[in-house]
Every structure is written in C-alpha cells, then in structure tokens.
Amino acid sequence: MNSKNLIQIKQFCLYHEIENTFITELNNYGLVEIIIQDENEYLEPDQLPVIEKMIRMHYDLKINLEGIDAITHLLNKIEILQQNLNTAHNKLRLFEQNEAE
C-alpha cells in the first residue's frame, strides 16, 4: 500500500488536538483500522469522516468509548436496514409498474 495516500496518525491527532491514544482505543474497539508501515501508524482517508464523528461524540458530547461503540453499531444497523428498505421499495415499484402494463 502506498503511504502517500495514507494519513499519519500523529499529524491527524495534532491537527484535531487530540491524544494518539484515542485513535489507539478506537482501534482496540474495532472501530478504525490502523495501518503500520515503516514503524509509523496511518489511517486510510476513507475512515476520516467516521473518525471525525467519533471525535465530536467523545470530546464535544462527552460520550465514552463504550457509548461510541454502541452508537456506531446502531448507526451501521440503521444504514443496512435503510438499504434493505430501499431495495424492497424499488422491487415493489417495479412490480407495480409490471402490474399496470
């Protein structure tokens, strides 16, 4: 993997003014994936929006890591259910179109 596309955790934490241990704890909960290359820790860019939400939950709303884990799990379930609902809605619309013809 090319480290040019990765975000170094030290730099990310400095920018957001948070401790590196917060990202490590998110990794311990399985909420983010840390990539280690050349003795440096990195994050993939597609993880950043989710991590920034978790930062706001923890630092602004004072939600602990267990709460963040539960909230993230529930939000993922909601997203899956929404996708299933959209699929069922599309199938119903197709069925109704075929019935009207």
Side-chain angles (χ1 to χ4, degrees):
M1 179 169 286
N2 190 353
S3 64
K4 287 194 297 188
N5 296 329
L6 299 175
I7 310 298
Q8 189 175 31
I9 290 177
K10 288 179 185 178
Q11 293 300 318
F12 179 82
C13 291
L14 282 174
Y15 177 80
H16 287 283
E17 298 177 352
I18 62 170
E19 295 292 325
N20 294 13
T21 55
F22 179 72
I23 303 297
T24 303
E25 287 297 316
L26 292 176
N27 181 63
N28 292 343
Y29 276 89
L31 298 171
V32 299
E33 181 182 344
I34 294 176
I35 298 166
I36 299 174
Q37 283 186 351
D38 302 326
E39 299 182 23
N40 290 311
E41 295 179 327
Y42 297 93
L43 298 168
E44 290 194 26
D46 62 341
Q47 295 185 96
L48 297 185
V50 174
I51 295 172
E52 288 170 344
K53 283 182 189 177
M54 292 180 202
I55 290 170
R56 286 191 299 277
M57 281 190 265
H58 184 69
Y59 290 97
D60 296 346
L61 301 176
K62 308 294 186 221
I63 298 173
N64 63 18
L65 290 167
E66 292 83 4
I68 292 172
D69 185 34
I71 290 168
T72 302
H73 177 73
L74 291 172
L75 288 174
N76 288 338
K77 279 206 172 244
I78 289 170
E79 184 177 332
I80 290 167
L81 290 171
Q82 186 65 48
Q83 290 171 354
N84 291 341
L85 180 61
N86 288 340
T87 301
H89 185 69
N90 291 338
K91 287 181 181 178
L92 178 60
R93 192 177 315 153
L94 182 63
F95 177 75
E96 288 174 343
Q97 287 175 351
N98 288 339
E99 286 290 313
E101 293 175 356

